[in-house]
Amino acid sequence: MSDIIKITDRAADRIRRLQAGAGDKALRFSVLENKGCAGFQYDFAFADAPGKHDAKVDKDGVVLYVDPMSLLYVAGTEIDWIEEGFEKKFVYDNPNQSGGCGCGQSFSV
């Protein structure tokens, strides 16, 4: 299922650095409802273990887990990491979204 979400090399490097300080915790990529100015918000969080039905996304040894409800909103998304001037953030190219906020961290479908 690693092709459900695409992770660029830059994003994989950033995720690898985040995971280095988290020990054996699983990194979950999810969607929070009723958050952000556009309705849904992207979220990364560490968990003791992946959920029973989480999809596993693996990019060169970088592993993310996505819960089934979030997957409905983010299937086909490409996650990238940018560093431009003072701005450092994950960016998302989500084919499912119909709109988004200016910061790129929340979206609508």
Side-chain angles (χ1 to χ4, degrees), residues 1-28:
M1 285 198 169
S2 62
D3 58 342
I4 289 176
I5 293 182
K6 296 168 184 65
I7 303 170
T8 67
D9 291 339
R10 289 185 302 254
D13 288 341
R14 178 62 182 155
I15 292 167
R16 193 173 287 111
R17 284 184 269 150
L18 289 171
Q19 289 177 319
D24 292 333
K25 296 210 179 247
L27 184 60
R28 297 184 80 206

Side-chain angles (χ1 to χ4, degrees), residues 37-38 97-108:
C37 54
Q97 77 178 44
S98 59
C101 68
C103 72
Q105 301 302 303
S106 69
F107 66 100
S108 58

Side-chain angles (χ1 to χ4, degrees), residues 20-99:
D24 292 333
K25 296 210 179 247
L27 184 60
R28 297 184 80 206
F29 175 59
S30 62
V31 172
L32 304 175
E33 295 183 49
N34 301 317
K35 298 286 184 181
C37 54
F40 295 96
Q41 183 176 327
Y42 298 107
D43 184 58
F44 284 103
F46 287 105
D48 290 330
K52 182 177 180 179
H53 300 289
D54 284 358
K56 180 179 179 181
V57 179
D58 188 332
K59 161 74 174 179
D60 301 329
V62 171
V63 176
L64 295 179
Y65 294 95
V66 185
D67 67 90
M69 285 302 292
S70 295
L71 198 54
L72 294 172
Y73 300 111
V74 297
T77 296
E78 180 180 82
I79 302 172
D80 196 7
W81 174 258
I82 61 165
E83 294 187 16
E84 296 174 352
F86 292 113
E87 188 173 47
K88 296 177 183 180
K89 66 180 182 177
F90 286 105
V91 292
Y92 310 91
D93 182 9
N94 184 344
N96 306 299
Q97 77 178 44
S98 59

